[in-house]
Amino acid sequence: MKNNAITSRDVDFAKWYTDVVRAAKLADYTSVKGCIAIEPNGYAIWEKMQQILDKKFKELGHVNCQMPLLIPENLLNKEKDLVEGFAPEVAWVTEGGKKTLDERLCIRPTSETLFCDYYKTHVKSHRDLPMLYNQWCNVLRWEKETRPFLRSREFLWQEGHTIHATAEEAIKETDQMMEVYKWFHHEILAIPSIVGKKTEKEKFAGAEYTLTNEALMYNGVALQAGTSHYFGQKFSSAYDVKFTNKDNKEEFVYQTSWGTTTRMIGGLIMVHSDDYGLVLPPRIAPKQVVIIPIGESEEVESLSNKFKEELVAKDITAYIDNSEKSPGFKFAEAEVNGIPVRIEVGKRDLENGTITIARRDTREKVNVSSDIDIVEYVTDLLETIQKDMYNRALEKRDSLTFEAHNLDDMERILNTQPGFIHAMWCGDKECEEKVKEIKGCKSRCILEEAEKIDDKCVVCGKEAKHHVVWGIQY
Amino acid sequence: MKNNAITSRDVDFAKWYTDVVRAAKLADYTSVKGCIAIEPNGYAIWEKMQQILDKKFKELGHVNCQMPLLIPENLLNKEKDLVEGFAPEVAWVTEGGKKTLDERLCIRPTSETLFCDYYKTHVKSHRDLPMLYNQWCNVLRWEKETRPFLRSREFLWQEGHTIHATAEEAIKETDQMMEVYKWFHHEILAIPSIVGKKTEKEKFAGAEYTLTNEALMYNGVALQAGTSHYFGQKFSSAYDVKFTNKDNKEEFVYQTSWGTTTRMIGGLIMVHSDDYGLVLPPRIAPKQVVIIPIGESEEVESLSNKFKEELVAKDITAYIDNSEKSPGFKFAEAEVNGIPVRIEVGKRDLENGTITIARRDTREKVNVSSDIDIVEYVTDLLETIQKDMYNRALEKRDSLTFEAHNLDDMERILNTQPGFIHAMWCGDKECEEKVKEIKGCKSRCILEEAEKIDDKCVVCGKEAKHHVVWGIQY
């Protein structure tokens, strides 16, 4: 049953994407330009992302807090790279309580300034360090073109901001948090992302360096999904965040920040979903199993209830669809909403002692005995689906991964099929700019540990310094 | 050990309050006027509040979502009572992306407008109803005088917004959610709040009626802590939210909204805390038990670890304070932070086969055998503390509850000791205004089921219609 509300993915990928977002009721447009309403089905995915990441952050010693939404202009202006980076895309509050304000306040596009301002008065000695704070909140960036989840003026995210007594510790934190994002993508979202360092041109405004987690969508377009920044003492010197070190000397703290956003929901969709709607890896699916009773009988009802209770008792989120819709409608709804496993408990099947179990990812259906150990069966199936989804995404990524040895290669690849393009680079900004002329292709990240694939820069032919992955991005 | 950073509660209540907030590191002022930073200790309380309330909301069929932060001016203007009510206290975004906006956008002070705008395009038939949405988010109201948690320009809250096919159902929802707030205060926060209906003058701008949960602070000042509004069809007609009812006729939906905020943290402090710092009821304390090893020995260490593991296994949040501070310092810190139970595992005590257990609320210490069943003992103690804290708060509330039979009574009481003042009222706004002249005393709520205590209005002497509780408020 192809969903008629969904354009085919291979016909028009952009339209397919927004069709899936709307058909699965993940988000919708609003009367507020560039801002979406995250609907319950979409928000439930975000809640599960929050739960899993938050638990991990806390295990690593981080604590949550909440800084203000608004930043006074003079505070923002203290770090010049940050201002220059964000000035074009901030929104300003200029009136409050029926009065024009003496000073404009911007809605936070990110909160380095506010954390610095807080830390400044709360850190004195090396004994107060490290301070490992995180916040879950909304931020605003005045984007021109927007797309649900991928790019919207307001979005939800977590931003970790930590300060440390030594550069070494802060660098370790920067790496560690990127490992968390990579783990989250690979193990939970079943997305085989790649991790590397941003070039000078692409790094975060004000960072010493930026690590990035890059995912590749089904259509070969890249999506930046999680960054971790090492600031060294750049912000702490601009905002005067000092501490007394072990040698009893004043020193500026060493700082990091790292964040992931609701944009990951967009990534999930564009890696795994299909023409029938949403497909979710079991570990991130808010609802993992739907049980659909077909035909009315005591046996149908009691078996459905038994299955549900047994699954729920083992922390598998299962529910019975007892609504008044037809079975066919329920199947389609479970499908479009991406419920990983569907159990059909049919009156007629039960006469033959069977039930039907369907997996969403492959849409395969099997008949199994109705006295199956449902917990064991479903647990295995969910694991299999998770693994299979990762492997299919990995295969897809590999099939969209190319090598370029000169600019012609690059052009030919990008004109045929975009993807991750591996190529060597001399390190010059001009060469980066040159690549960008081809369909806006940017450096995704530098792979510091990867082997050389050429001695020469893909653009200028001079000595190559870095193995870089390039791609067109969302 | 009286905490020197804390002014005595009986000397200067306002100063005591802010001293406790800062000493327990719950929140701090920021460079953003009227906005606070909620620090990790404070945010952990909010997280626990969210956890407990969110679970209850979901059990009752509600789902979470996220509407935009910004509201276009023309959208806000559609419901005139709402605009008039909130216009004096909104903040306006007038510039974005380096341009002056064509239309001002206000930062949400509350989101009825956005939910109506969403529901309008998402509800068609009675089969789509009810829609039971809630969101956890930040809102902004341009207050002039602010106080941490109690009143700040930005605060965090949950706002439930539901639409229904009948008035009856919506009224039931309004009542039900007030019952949830009452339950939360009585059972979890150990605050014996009272519940009733707001007068016409005090109800929410645009509501048919407002139910309120009113708590009484230690100093006799009232705090509104949770409201639930029935809107009838007021908003749905202004925003054109229609559905086809069972008789196949178009009708406007029946609507409710209900909310609680980070202000409850202020209430918690002002009901339970003392001159030694924060006191938290065990059910809301993010950390329930601290174990403090005293003196170094293998026995001290292994017993501390054993206690911790056994408690944590039973979902009691226990931690060992292994920091390098002195035991005295650790005691004071646990005290100021309001950890309900402190277990001291001392080397010398152990030689006599004992440990010491202290409860935060009464500051009592007892010696018990070191081979005690720690889980059983602590479980009982936590329950006892929870119950005792409620009972003390109830006693305090009752001792601050008065009856007034005329305006002189009212004045005398308010000049001596504010509190909840029960008095009859005729229903006229002028009489309400007259009471307000006495130290700004307002009606807290109408107790609809309470017995008459007079035949005549406490102000004008005309026939009394309502039993009202009055009080000075935060």
Side-chain angles (χ1 to χ4, degrees), chain A residues 22-40:
Chain A
R22 299 188 71 173
K25 294 181 184 160
L26 300 176
D28 206 351
Y29 300 104
T30 65
S31 299
V32 193
K33 214 186 149 205
C35 296
I36 57 168
I38 305 181
E39 297 181 272

Side-chain angles (χ1 to χ4, degrees), chain A residues 109-370:
Chain A
T110 178
S111 304
E112 277 73 13
T113 50
L114 293 166
F115 276 89
C116 283
D117 198 47
Y118 174 85
Y119 284 139
K120 183 188 164 169
T121 56
H122 289 81
V123 64
K124 286 186 177 64
S125 141
H126 62 93
R127 276 180 298 268
D128 302 326
L129 293 171
M131 291 176 87
L132 308 172
Y133 285 21
N134 175 64
Q135 71 180 4
W136 293 93
C137 65
N138 52 350
V139 286
L140 205 118
R141 297 178 188 175
W142 211 256
E143 306 280 359
K144 283 192 192 98
E145 277 184 58
T146 61
R147 248 183 241 252
F149 296 120
L150 296 177
R151 193 170 290 277
S152 61
R153 287 188 175 168
E154 183 192 6
F155 57 87
L156 305 182
W157 78 345
Q158 60 67 217
E159 46 179 327
H161 294 269
T162 69
I163 53 175
H164 306 261
T166 65
E168 197 190 354
E169 253 189 53
I171 286 168
K172 209 173 140 198
E173 169 83 5
T174 311
D175 289 351
Q176 170 187 266
M177 298 323 289
M178 186 42 65
E179 277 304 308
V180 169
Y181 294 157
K182 187 180 171 187
W183 162 83
F184 185 67
H185 277 76
H186 286 245
E187 295 301 316
I188 309 296
L189 304 186
I191 295 177
S193 57
I194 59 171
V195 160
K197 196 182 255 186
K198 284 284 180 195
T199 62
E200 282 300 300
K201 185 173 175 288
E202 298 295 331
K203 75 177 186 186
F204 179 84
E208 292 281 348
Y209 67 79
T210 290
L211 300 181
T212 183
N213 180 59
E214 300 279 333
L216 194 66
M217 305 298 102
Y218 181 86
N219 63 345
V221 176
L223 186 75
Q224 178 181 306
T227 46
S228 182
H229 315 292
Y230 173 63
F231 292 124
Q233 298 173 308
K234 264 189 95 172
F235 278 94
S236 61
S237 55
Y239 288 87
D240 200 30
V241 188
K242 281 181 290 207
F243 73 106
T244 311
N245 66 20
K246 280 184 178 160
D247 303 326
N248 215 24
K249 282 188 186 138
E250 277 212 328
E251 196 176 352
F252 292 116
V253 299
Y254 298 83
Q255 195 170 356
T256 84
S257 83
W258 29 274
T260 50
T261 78
T262 36
R263 143 178 271 217
M264 290 189 293
I265 299 173
L268 255 187
I269 298 167
M270 291 198 299
V271 169
H272 299 300
S273 295
D274 62 21
D275 289 355
Y276 302 90
L278 193 63
V279 183
L280 289 175
R283 290 190 194 149
I284 203 67
K287 292 171 180 171
Q288 298 172 308
V289 178
V290 56
I291 300 162
I292 300 180
I294 305 165
E296 277 178 43
S297 86
E298 210 173 290
E299 207 188 345
V300 166
E301 201 188 320
S302 72
L303 191 62
S304 298
N305 289 333
K306 180 173 166 281
F307 283 167
K308 187 198 147 184
E309 276 160 32
E310 288 178 6
L311 291 168
V312 168
K314 291 292 174 188
D315 285 329
I316 296 169
T317 45
Y319 70 103
I320 302 175
D321 186 347
N322 266 328
S323 60
E324 280 171 32
K325 301 156 195 160
S326 71
F329 191 95
K330 291 179 187 179
F331 295 173
E333 194 170 63
E335 197 152 62
V336 81
N337 288 335
I339 316 297
V341 170
R342 183 176 82 226
I343 304 176
E344 303 168 12
V345 181
K347 196 173 165 184
R348 242 182 266 170
D349 276 354
L350 283 187
E351 282 164 16
N352 303 317
T354 65
I355 54 163
T356 302
I357 298 185
R359 51 190 279 191
R360 171 64 185 90
D361 63 330
T362 59
R363 307 185 67 240
E364 282 163 343
K365 283 172 87 152
V366 289
N367 267 288
V368 296
S369 161
S370 59

Side-chain angles (χ1 to χ4, degrees), chain B residues 193-335:
Chain B
S193 57
I194 59 170
V195 160
K197 195 181 255 184
K198 283 285 180 195
T199 61
E200 282 299 300
K201 186 171 173 292
E202 298 295 331
K203 74 178 186 185
F204 179 83
E208 292 281 348
Y209 67 80
T210 290
L211 300 180
T212 182
N213 180 59
E214 300 279 332
L216 195 67
M217 305 297 102
Y218 180 86
N219 64 345
V221 175
L223 186 75
Q224 179 182 304
T227 46
S228 183
H229 316 292
Y230 173 63
F231 292 125
Q233 297 172 307
K234 265 189 95 174
F235 278 93
S236 60
S237 55
Y239 288 86
D240 200 31
V241 189
K242 280 182 291 206
F243 73 106
T244 311
N245 66 20
K246 280 186 179 161
D247 304 326
N248 214 26
K249 281 185 187 142
E250 276 211 328
E251 196 177 352
F252 292 117
V253 299
Y254 298 84
Q255 195 171 357
T256 83
S257 84
W258 29 275
T260 51
T261 79
T262 35
R263 141 178 272 215
M264 290 189 293
I265 299 173
L268 255 186
I269 299 167
M270 292 200 297
V271 168
H272 299 300
S273 296
D274 62 21
D275 288 355
Y276 302 90
L278 193 62
V279 184
L280 289 175
R283 290 191 193 149
I284 202 67
K287 292 172 179 172
Q288 297 172 308
V289 178
V290 57
I291 300 161
I292 300 179
I294 305 164
E296 278 178 42
S297 87
E298 211 174 290
E299 206 189 346
V300 166
E301 200 188 321
S302 71
L303 192 60
S304 297
N305 288 335
K306 179 172 166 281
F307 284 167
K308 188 199 146 183
E309 276 161 32
E310 288 178 5
L311 291 168
V312 167
K314 292 290 175 190
D315 285 328
I316 295 169
T317 44
Y319 70 103
I320 301 175
D321 186 348
N322 266 329
S323 60
E324 280 170 33
K325 302 154 195 162
S326 71
F329 191 95
K330 291 179 186 179
F331 296 172
E333 195 170 62
E335 197 152 62

Side-chain angles (χ1 to χ4, degrees), chain A residues 22 28-33 35-41 43-44 47 54 58 63-72 75 87-99 101 104-105 107-108 114 117-118 121-122 133 136 138 140 142 144 154 156, chain B residues 22 28-33 35-41 43-44 47 54 58 63-72 75 87-99 101 104-105 107-108 114 117-118 121-122 133 136 138 140 142 144 154 156:
Chain A
R22 299 188 71 173
D28 206 351
Y29 300 104
T30 65
S31 299
V32 193
K33 214 186 149 205
C35 296
I36 57 168
I38 305 181
E39 297 181 272
N41 286 354
Y43 199 77
E47 284 182 311
D54 197 68
K58 283 176 177 159
V63 286
N64 286 334
C65 66
Q66 196 75 195
M67 296 293 158
L69 171 72
L70 301 172
I71 309 172
L75 192 63
E89 51 181 49
V90 294
W92 292 100
V93 174
T94 61
E95 301 167 24
K98 297 207 154 180
K99 280 186 189 150
L101 304 182
R104 297 194 299 178
L105 303 165
I107 298 181
R108 63 181 163 218
L114 293 166
D117 198 47
Y118 174 85
T121 56
H122 289 81
Y133 285 21
W136 293 93
N138 52 350
L140 205 118
W142 211 256
K144 283 192 192 98
E154 183 192 6
L156 305 182
Chain B
R22 297 187 71 173
D28 206 351
Y29 300 103
T30 65
S31 299
V32 194
K33 214 185 150 206
C35 297
I36 57 170
I38 305 182
E39 298 181 273
N41 286 354
Y43 199 77
E47 284 182 310
D54 197 68
K58 284 177 176 158
V63 286
N64 286 335
C65 65
Q66 196 75 197
M67 296 292 158
L69 171 71
L70 302 172
I71 310 173
L75 192 63
E89 52 182 47
V90 295
W92 293 100
V93 174
T94 62
E95 301 167 22
K98 297 206 154 182
K99 282 189 188 149
L101 305 182
R104 299 194 296 180
L105 302 166
I107 298 181
R108 64 183 161 216
L114 294 166
D117 198 47
Y118 174 85
T121 55
H122 289 81
Y133 284 23
W136 293 94
N138 54 347
L140 206 118
W142 212 255
K144 283 194 192 96
E154 184 192 4
L156 305 182

Side-chain angles (χ1 to χ4, degrees), chain B residues 10 20 266 288 459 469:
Chain B
D10 294 318
V20 170
Q288 297 172 308
V459 181
V469 178

Side-chain angles (χ1 to χ4, degrees), chain A residues 363-380:
Chain A
R363 307 185 67 240
E364 282 163 343
K365 283 172 87 152
V366 289
N367 267 288
V368 296
S369 161
S370 59
D371 56 13
I372 199 175
D373 179 338
I374 198 73
V375 169
E376 193 187 320
Y377 189 92
V378 168
T379 303
D380 286 352

Side-chain angles (χ1 to χ4, degrees), chain B residues 74-89:
Chain B
N74 82 75
L75 192 63
L76 190 69
N77 285 347
K78 283 192 184 168
E79 211 292 316
K80 85 175 187 350
D81 287 343
L82 189 82
V83 184
E84 281 170 20
F86 284 101
E89 52 182 47

